[in-house]
Amino acid sequence: MEIKSYPGSPYPLGATWDGKGVNFALFAANATGIELCLFDSTDDKKETAKIKLAERTHEIWHVYIPDIKPGQLYGYRVHGPYEPQNGHRFNPHKLLIDPYAKAISGTIEWHDSLFGYEVGHEDEDFSFSNTDSAPYIPKSVVIDPNFDWEGDKSPKVPYHNSIIYETHVKGFTKQHPDIPEEIRGTYAALAHPVTIQYLKDLGITAVELMPVHHFITDRYLVEKNLTNYWGYNSIGFFAPDVRYSGSGTLGEQVTEFKNMVKALHKEGIEVILDVVYNHTGEGNHMGPTLSFKGIDNASYYRLVADNPRYYMDYTGTGNTLNANLPSVLRLIMDSLRYWILEMHVDGFRFDLASTLARELHEVDRLSSFFDIIHQDPIISQVKLIAEPWDVGEGGYQVGNFPPGWTEWNGKYRDCMRDFWRGENSMLAEFAERFTGSSDLYQDDNRRPTASINFITAHDGFTLNDLVSYNEKHNTENGEDNNDGESHNRSWNCGEEGPTDSAEVLALRQKQKRNFLTTLFLSQGVPMIVAGDEISRTQNGNNNAYCQDNEISWLNWSEADKDLLEFTRKLISLRRNHPVFCRRRWFQGQPIKGVGIEDIAWFLPDGKEMSDENWNQDFAKSLAVFLNGKGLRSSGPKGEHIADDSFYVIFNAHYEPLQYKLPSKKYGTEWTKIIDTSENRVEDEGVTYKAGSTIEIDGRSIVLLHHPLQS
């Protein structure tokens, strides 16, 4: 079949439809030749047309094909040396996914032909495979970028007002009885009015979606009848994953994703994407050749300097994208800008972000990756959240990311888990974490909102399982319970797993309320995992990455409605009171005209804590006064902000404690509005005079309220 072609342009990269035809552009610095392969349908085993790219500009190969329309399927075959020992793995028998594909037509059908070498050969990856992989690999899709956004704008919720909800596109709605069955588990289901109303009622301001970039399920999982449910194995950094599309596979998934974002934005809810730019789904030197590896291996990956057959692996996945190389930096930045400008997302959470900061071996805070983002007028203006660690040496970098970034605060999670399970830990650290972790973020002029506070995340126990299991129970993952974190800082409240003991069950419920109350009263940005508010369980599995089934999906039919109502009221309390959402650090000094500090810490006897008290590791209880007149912040129009004052009593001891309230200068009368031992959040409760004594139940929190007085 004769195909007319023109030279085309090296920019933009990828396949771009202009209404009359399509421009194709592919970066491949070390390639000696490239063929564009066109397919008529997803069932085609062989391309129906093959066009040699004759034009090359600055290491980018390009061609323009007139009359091609959106929905066109395509892939590339790339020629060059197959020299693994020199870092080159070109093999034109392998059809390759365009790194800039805006849509991908399906998922991989695993077959030996997907590997650049002969699987099982004694020479391993030094052997060469002549088998065509086209029948088994999904095709890239030309899309129509036009979409009616109806004037859509980002809600731009300030960090200090944000409540982040980490969720999985499929798992959140797959079992939801009030969502039409044909769209459950899709982008459309997240945009359904039932979903959006639930998020609004809960008080959520942003959904943080686990990976939606098109990803790979590794062969070894498929052979065990498992799958990659979480999606941290990207192959298409511009393509919304086709698995979550309820409308089609030839570009319809892009429109469906845009409709989801538009619907959430209309209700003031932001969309944050969990992105995985640290590695790809092509694995190590024995992995498949699907895209980058066959296009230009040495221009995309970190290879071992003195033996480039092998990959540097800072991610535990077999390879690491080399964010020091201009081609990779361009890919990442182009991808981020695309999701902001074309898909209207509001921010990103960077998986294993320390990997992107590595210049050579060291984690360099001022690496080119951060420099480029900092100066980019588009990317620098959205929410940027780091998972501040990787698996390499020196990879734990909590507190070390530059201004403009927020971080998943793993130290907050660990400290709060230890406190509520009764570990001997310093009250000083608890106070530091509760007030925004100034020890981590204040020195470089960041604010308390640099800390993304969380008790649980997708990776690890759910909140319910955190208080129900001492040990992980991951046998369903097929690795003899060897996978997943063994040190979870969890406590089962007396019995492992399911129990009929009313006493154990009551304690577990109280512990859940303790964790949630601590989280939503802490300074910083709270993040909750979808389902924790309804007591979702994974039956003790703390690494359900491969469980695309009832283990991972939210079970709406067994929702804990009491905990849900408690959580709703708790989030509402936080959102209505700026004293819990401070934009500036506590000073611990008297406020002008008020004469008392913006924050003060107390012992059970009503006396302020001394330096000596902070360093006692056996202490399990403390109280804190939060002064509503000490916010030191202005409103949107410059108005002075003041709030009610609060007194929070934490008792992680297993027995009740008598607490004497402080003197009148802190408040003449206090009203109890939360008591986690009673499962209540109230506007009006029992009232206590200054200096009176209140009993705090074992392992519980009491929140007292004092109204703002002029």
Side-chain angles (χ1 to χ4, degrees):
M1 180 168 119
E2 188 67 29
I3 298 282
K4 187 188 294 185
S5 67
Y6 305 144
S9 167
Y11 183 85
L13 286 160
T16 307
W17 179 63
D18 62 4
K20 299 177 181 178
V22 178
N23 189 81
F24 295 90
L26 180 71
F27 167 83
N30 294 298
T32 58
I34 292 179
E35 295 163 313
L36 169 67
C37 302
L38 303 180
F39 296 79
D40 286 344
S41 84
T42 54
D43 297 325
D44 287 353
K45 304 294 184 188
K46 191 80 179 168
E47 55 265 39
T48 52
K50 188 186 289 185
I51 302 100
K52 286 188 177 179
L53 274 62
E55 298 293 331
R56 185 179 185 182
T57 307
H58 306 308
E59 302 176 330
I60 295 171
W61 303 69
H62 49 93
V63 69
Y64 181 91
I65 312 292
D67 302 323
I68 288 182
K69 295 181 172 60
Q72 175 66 56
L73 300 166
Y74 72 98
Y76 290 106
R77 298 186 187 277
V78 181
H79 297 258
Y82 187 83
E83 300 169 352
Q85 70 277 15
N86 294 322
H88 300 307
R89 295 177 178 272
F90 296 101
N91 186 335
H93 301 288
K94 309 305 158 188
L95 188 77
L96 304 172
I97 296 169
D98 180 0
Y100 278 72
K102 306 304 189 300
I104 297 172
S105 65
T107 56
I108 279 176
E109 181 184 340
W110 280 106
H111 188 267
D112 286 353
S113 65
L114 293 166
F115 295 78
Y117 61 93
E118 286 189 38
V119 174
H121 195 284
E122 63 181 0
D123 292 335
E124 296 185 322
D125 58 319
F126 284 116
S127 63
F128 187 79
S129 168
N130 294 295
T131 312
D132 186 10
S133 67
Y136 307 100
I137 192 160
K139 312 306 182 282
S140 304
V141 184
V142 176
I143 69 156
D144 179 355
N146 295 309
F147 180 78
D148 183 6
W149 281 104
E150 302 179 64
D152 174 76
K153 285 188 169 56
S154 170
K156 290 194 177 297
V157 180
Y159 272 121
H160 66 277
N161 289 335
S162 293
I163 310 287
I164 299 175
Y165 192 74
E166 190 193 25
T167 192
H168 187 282
V169 172
K170 181 176 183 178
F172 186 72
T173 62
K174 184 61 180 171
Q175 298 190 100
H176 203 301
D178 298 329
I179 288 176
E181 192 168 354
E182 63 272 17
I183 66 165
R184 290 177 193 167
T186 66
Y187 303 119
L190 269 188
H192 192 276
V194 167
T195 300
I196 292 177
Q197 192 60 52
Y198 178 86
L199 295 171
K200 286 183 66 179
D201 289 346
L202 188 55
I204 300 305
T205 68
V207 288
E208 183 178 302
L209 302 181
M210 290 173 66
V212 298
H213 287 173
H214 196 96
F215 62 87
I216 300 299
T217 290
D218 288 325
R219 190 177 197 176
Y220 79 91
L221 286 174
V222 174
E223 290 172 348
K224 292 196 293 184
N225 292 317
L226 296 168
T227 189
N228 187 330
Y229 173 68
W230 286 353
Y232 292 91
N233 212 24
S234 302
I235 200 68
F237 295 108
F238 295 79
D241 197 282
V242 72
R243 297 167 182 84
Y244 309 137
S245 172
S247 52
T249 65
L250 299 180
E252 295 91 346
Q253 61 266 52
V254 178
T255 302
E256 187 176 330
F257 185 93
K258 290 177 177 178
N259 276 319
M260 175 195 73
V261 173
K262 182 168 70 171
L264 288 163
H265 280 183
K266 279 181 179 177
E267 300 299 334
I269 299 171
E270 295 181 315
V271 178
I272 298 169
L273 300 188
D274 196 335
V275 290
V276 191
Y277 293 112
N278 52 69
H279 74 282
T280 77
E282 291 187 297
N284 63 13
H285 63 291
M286 300 299 285
T289 297
L290 309 173
S291 181
F292 309 91
K293 189 179 287 187
I295 291 169
D296 197 346
N297 187 60
S299 291
Y300 282 110
Y301 291 111
R302 280 193 177 218
L303 306 178
V304 176
D306 56 359
N307 192 353
R309 173 192 180 191
Y310 299 107
Y311 298 82
M312 297 296 290
D313 183 10
Y314 294 110
T315 64
T317 62
N319 67 58
T320 303
L321 276 172
N322 193 345
N324 300 318
L325 297 175
S327 53
V328 176
L329 274 173
R330 177 174 56 200
L331 172 84
I332 296 173
M333 300 305 153
D334 285 351
S335 170
L336 292 169
R337 277 190 290 267
Y338 175 78
W339 287 96
I340 297 166
L341 295 174
E342 295 296 322
M343 308 295 258
H344 285 210
V345 304
D346 306 284
F348 305 94
R349 178 263 189 189
F350 292 80
D351 179 63
L352 303 180
S354 294
T355 303
L356 299 169
R358 289 183 181 273
E359 281 288 355
L360 295 171
H361 180 67
E362 298 299 318
V363 177
D364 181 353
R365 191 167 94 173
L366 301 177
S367 75
S368 50
F369 173 75
F370 295 112
D371 289 342
I372 289 175
I373 281 185
H374 189 68
Q375 59 78 42
D376 189 286
I378 295 163
I379 304 171
S380 64
Q381 298 308 302
V382 302
K383 288 184 168 67
L384 301 171
I385 304 170
E387 180 188 32
W389 49 79
D390 64 17
V391 301
E393 181 183 346
Y396 193 77
Q397 294 289 316
V398 173
N400 289 340
F401 279 70
W405 285 76
T406 61
E407 301 175 21
W408 271 26
N409 190 343
K411 293 186 176 182
Y412 178 94
R413 171 200 60 205
D414 294 348
C415 175
M416 296 311 176
R417 287 186 178 194
D418 279 346
F419 180 77
W420 285 113
R421 70 185 177 125
E423 282 294 292
N424 287 335
S425 54
M426 300 295 179
L427 291 178
E429 190 187 4
F430 176 88
E432 193 73 78
R433 303 293 158 249
F434 180 74
T435 55
S437 296
S438 62
D439 59 327
L440 300 177
Y441 306 116
Q442 190 171 13
D443 286 349
D444 54 8
N445 296 314
R446 288 197 279 172
R447 299 285 176 88
T449 49
S451 178
I452 305 293
N453 297 330
F454 65 105
I455 304 297
T456 60
H458 69 272
D459 186 3
F461 282 142
T462 65
L463 180 62
N464 181 83
D465 292 357
L466 185 70
V467 301
S468 304
Y469 294 91
N470 286 349
E471 309 297 334
K472 62 184 181 182
H473 296 266
N474 297 356
T475 51
E476 293 97 336
N477 298 352
E479 298 181 39
D480 297 324
N481 207 36
N482 290 317
D483 63 303
E485 175 62 55
S486 295
H487 184 48
N488 293 284
R489 295 180 159 89
S490 61
W491 179 50
N492 64 18
C493 297
E495 293 187 23
E496 188 74 357
T499 178
D500 294 326
S501 168
E503 184 180 352
V504 171
L505 291 171
L507 179 53
R508 288 176 179 176
Q509 288 298 101
K510 185 162 63 169
Q511 287 286 75
K512 289 180 221 174
R513 294 192 292 268
N514 287 336
F515 278 121
L516 289 168
T517 303
T518 306
L519 176 66
F520 288 111
L521 299 188
S522 294
Q523 303 300 327
V525 182
M527 182 186 80
I528 182 174
V529 179
D532 274 358
E533 75 279 11
I534 58 170
S535 294
R536 182 175 79 89
T537 179
Q538 292 179 172
N539 304 319
N541 192 325
N542 75 349
N543 190 36
Y545 75 101
C546 55
Q547 301 293 338
D548 186 4
N549 51 45
E550 289 82 356
I551 291 174
S552 298
W553 304 338
L554 272 70
N555 185 348
W556 295 99
S557 65
E558 295 183 7
D560 182 341
K561 292 180 179 169
D562 287 341
L563 189 64
L564 174 60
E565 186 59 23
F566 181 87
T567 309
R568 283 175 177 162
K569 290 182 176 178
L570 196 53
I571 292 174
S572 176
L573 176 75
R574 177 187 176 88
R575 292 186 64 177
N576 287 329
H577 287 287
V579 74
F580 302 119
C581 316
R582 291 177 63 97
R583 290 153 52 195
R584 299 182 183 276
W585 299 105
F586 286 108
Q587 302 293 317
Q589 297 172 352
I591 299 158
K592 189 175 181 181
V594 178
I596 52 173
E597 305 91 332
D598 54 4
I599 186 170
W601 300 88
F602 292 89
L603 296 167
D605 62 6
K607 295 178 181 175
E608 285 202 49
M609 292 181 67
S610 66
D611 291 345
E612 180 186 349
N613 301 132
W614 287 117
N615 296 317
Q616 294 173 342
D617 62 6
F618 57 84
K620 300 285 188 293
S621 183
L622 76 170
V624 57
F625 166 75
L626 304 174
N627 191 337
K629 292 184 177 179
L631 297 178
R632 296 187 173 88
S633 294
S634 300
K637 296 181 179 178
E639 70 274 21
H640 175 69
I641 295 178
D643 192 11
D644 302 343
S645 293
F646 291 87
Y647 194 76
V648 196
I649 305 172
F650 299 95
N651 182 20
H653 188 52
Y654 60 87
E655 291 182 324
L657 280 177
Q658 300 294 316
Y659 250 87
K660 185 178 180 182
L661 298 181
S663 63
K664 285 183 181 178
K665 75 172 183 176
Y666 293 98
T668 55
E669 196 170 79
W670 295 93
T671 302
K672 182 165 72 171
I673 58 172
I674 292 180
D675 187 336
T676 58
S677 69
E678 297 176 356
N679 188 27
R680 284 208 306 258
V681 180
E682 307 173 294
D683 293 328
E684 293 296 331
V686 182
T687 299
Y688 300 89
K689 300 285 187 187
S692 63
T693 299
I694 177 173
E695 182 170 284
I696 311 299
D697 196 25
R699 296 193 177 97
S700 65
I701 302 172
V702 165
L703 177 66
L704 301 170
H705 167 246
H706 186 271
L708 177 66
Q709 295 176 336
S710 54

